[in-house]
Amino acid sequence: RKSAKHQLPRGLRYSIIQRDGAKCTLCGAKELLQVDHIIARVNGGTDEESNLRTLCIDCNIGKRIAEGENGRGGGFVASA
């Protein structure tokens, strides 16, 4: 059974991670990387490269908590 969650093509995910230097664009971590939609798809965001960035799992979870699981609400700002 396929997951209902939208998944980016592997080639696109690889391209975004390589573009971002294989590190989280918020904290610089180099492990457990994921590709994140800057503007969530549920809010009209697209799969265009300009709307995608690499985040580590911790920053991505933090973003989801800050915005709510459905991608709505406030933003997430990482401290320097």
Side-chain angles (χ1 to χ4, degrees):
R1 179 178 161 187
K2 284 190 174 183
S3 171
K5 187 174 180 177
H6 171 75
Q7 294 218 347
L8 295 171
R10 285 183 184 171
L12 180 56
R13 288 195 311 259
Y14 179 80
S15 174
I16 297 302
I17 291 170
Q18 292 305 304
R19 178 199 70 192
D20 293 341
K23 63 184 177 184
C24 176
T25 58
L26 295 179
C27 75
K30 295 183 178 185
E31 296 180 352
L32 302 174
L33 300 176
Q34 302 176 337
V35 174
D36 171 61
H37 287 84
I38 297 167
I39 300 173
R41 293 181 77 242
V42 298
N43 291 333
T46 68
D47 291 345
E48 296 293 318
E49 289 188 19
S50 61
N51 188 47
L52 300 172
R53 64 181 171 182
T54 303
L55 294 183
C56 69
I57 193 167
D58 289 338
C59 286
N60 204 3
I61 289 171
K63 176 190 173 218
R64 289 179 187 164
I65 291 169
E67 293 181 349
E69 284 297 323
N70 64 2
R72 298 169 199 245
F76 174 71
V77 178
S79 57

